[in-house]
């Protein structure tokens, strides 16, 4: 059954604990579990705003749509929905519901990121790291405004959607500035995704990503728990225009784009000058 509507302390409520990853485990085991079970998503009835000002449900957007987003420098802009976006309208689960002092509400999975702090948008936290009193950022009268978190709760909802934007913008979802990944990954994707879309290689990269994730999840499980998982940790990835299954191999046509996309990855990694982990 869905949990209570509101809780005063996010860590004291058992229904919120169940959406965290391995809350009883060590820090290392918890971090491994996040990689194994990582979800960066919103429910189907979350909303975004098109460049023409109309608001639509997140499950109605399509690749190429222009939606309102924030840039890393804190300005409001528009960005393009990528084919790498996650679009699963059949799944259900628990989301962290965040209520702000400006009466904005957004729901996201525990490991989804969003900008916090005194300026936007270079400091990110995951939803489960938020505490009452933290500042997050909202879109208000065509500008970014800080808003305080005043309540955290858990909510059961349908769908798992994550709009990845071609140029690395921070999607504005339900009026709140969010991020489709951690900052270093966003900066890399800002270089890689436009080239990948231009080369027509997204399916190749998605197949490679799903297979690498599968291998990494099993390796991470063995490293943390010193035994093989008794069940498969590999999952289908439901993208906005295709479903990619573990074990699928790229065609020769798709493989021809590998050098170009590999070069894009090299350029992106080289542009990250700060020596921080990519997986924080």
């Amino acid at each position: 059954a869905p949990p209570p509507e509101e809780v005063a302390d996010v860590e004291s409520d058992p229904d919120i604990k169940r959406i965290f990853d391995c809350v009883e485990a060590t820090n290392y085991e918890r971090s491994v579990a996040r990689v194994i079970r990582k979800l960066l998503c919103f429910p189907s009835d979350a909303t975004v705003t098109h460049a023409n000002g109309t608001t639509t449900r997140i499950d109605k957007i399509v690749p190429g749509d222009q939606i309102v987003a924030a840039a890393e420098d804190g300005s409001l802009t528009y960005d393009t929905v990528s084919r790498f976006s996650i679009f699963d309208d059949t799944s259900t689960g628990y989301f962290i519901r965040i209520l702000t002092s400006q009466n904005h509400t957004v729901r996201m999975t525990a490991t989804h990121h969003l900008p916090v702090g005194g300026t936007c948008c270079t400091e990110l936290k995951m939803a489960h790291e938020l505490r009452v009193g933290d500042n997050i950022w909202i879109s208000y009268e065509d500008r970014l405004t800080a808003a305080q978190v005043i309540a955290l709760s858990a909510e059961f909802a349908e769908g798992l959607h994550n709009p990845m934007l071609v140029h690395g913008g921070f999607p504005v979802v339900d009026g709140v500035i969010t991020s489709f990944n951690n900052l270093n990954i966003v900066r890399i994707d800002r270089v890689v995704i436009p080239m990948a879309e231009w080369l027509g290689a997204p399916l190749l990269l998605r197949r490679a990503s799903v297979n690498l994730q599968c291998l990494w999840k099993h390796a991470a499980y063995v490293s943390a728990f010193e035994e093989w998982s008794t069940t498969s940790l590999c999952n289908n990835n439901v993208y906005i225009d295709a479903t990619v299954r573990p074990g699928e191999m790229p065609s020769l046509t798709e493989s021809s784009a590998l050098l170009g996309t590999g070069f894009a990855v090299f350029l992106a990694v080289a542009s990250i000058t700060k020596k921080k982990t990519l997986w924080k």
Side-chain angles (χ1 to χ4, degrees):
E5 277 297 306
E6 300 290 343
V7 293
D9 182 351
V10 68
E11 292 189 326
S12 68
D13 186 87
D15 286 315
I16 288 190
K17 278 189 175 183
R18 69 183 293 178
I19 64 174
F20 292 170
D21 299 301
C22 283
V23 292
E24 302 295 334
T26 66
N27 287 337
Y28 177 64
E29 289 169 340
R30 187 182 299 115
S31 67
V32 170
R34 283 202 192 103
V35 173
I36 291 173
R37 302 169 55 203
K38 193 171 187 180
L39 294 172
L40 305 172
C41 295
F42 304 96
S44 295
D45 59 353
T47 61
V48 296
T49 303
H50 287 290
N52 64 7
T54 60
T55 299
T56 188
R57 284 171 51 120
I58 205 168
D59 61 354
K60 302 301 182 184
I61 59 176
V62 297
D65 278 355
Q66 291 276 310
I67 64 172
V68 177
E72 189 174 324
D73 63 6
S75 60
L76 272 180
T77 184
Y78 304 107
D79 207 338
T80 307
V81 175
S82 167
R83 285 174 284 179
F84 286 87
S85 301
I86 298 297
F87 191 95
D88 183 352
D89 57 4
T90 61
S91 294
T92 59
Y94 283 86
F95 296 79
I96 292 181
R97 180 175 179 268
I98 304 162
L99 176 64
T100 77
S101 55
Q102 301 291 333
N103 205 32
H104 282 67
T105 299
V106 65
R107 295 156 298 157
M108 59 183 67
T109 46
T111 52
H112 205 99
H113 295 77
L114 70 171
V116 297
T119 58
C120 190
C121 304
T122 56
E123 181 184 355
L124 306 182
K125 278 187 177 181
M126 288 185 280
H128 74 87
E129 296 173 327
L130 289 176
R131 296 296 179 266
V132 171
D134 283 351
N135 273 345
I136 62 175
W137 289 85
I138 63 172
S139 172
Y140 181 72
E141 295 183 349
D142 297 326
R143 60 187 177 87
L144 299 189
T145 302
Q148 215 174 53
V149 175
I150 62 172
L152 296 161
S153 60
E155 184 173 307
F156 192 82
E158 297 180 351
L160 293 170
H161 301 265
N162 186 18
M164 177 180 282
L165 302 183
V166 172
H167 303 290
F170 298 92
V172 177
V173 179
D174 290 328
V176 176
I177 316 304
T178 69
S179 178
F180 57 78
N181 215 312
N182 72 58
L183 186 59
N184 282 335
I185 296 297
V186 169
R187 286 171 172 170
I188 290 174
D189 287 341
R190 193 176 294 152
V191 177
V192 174
I193 300 304
M195 185 173 291
E197 293 274 0
W198 181 74
L199 289 171
L203 192 57
L204 164 68
L205 293 183
R206 286 179 283 184
R207 283 174 173 162
S209 173
V210 168
N211 289 322
L212 288 173
Q213 286 177 38
C214 180
L215 293 173
W216 168 246
K217 288 176 180 179
H218 280 280
Y221 188 96
V222 171
S223 176
F225 304 112
E226 299 182 348
E227 63 181 12
W228 288 101
S229 171
T230 57
T231 59
S232 175
L233 303 175
C234 305
N235 301 309
N236 296 340
N237 273 23
V238 184
Y239 292 101
I240 199 166
D241 65 342
T243 297
V244 178
R245 299 168 179 83
E248 288 184 345
M249 301 303 293
S251 66
L252 288 176
T253 301
E254 293 165 343
S255 298
S256 66
L258 184 59
L259 287 177
T261 52
F263 183 62
V265 172
F266 171 78
L267 291 177
V269 173
S271 70
I272 305 299
T273 57
K274 295 181 180 179
K275 295 182 179 179
K276 295 182 178 178
T277 176
L278 297 180
W279 311 113
K280 184 177 178 182

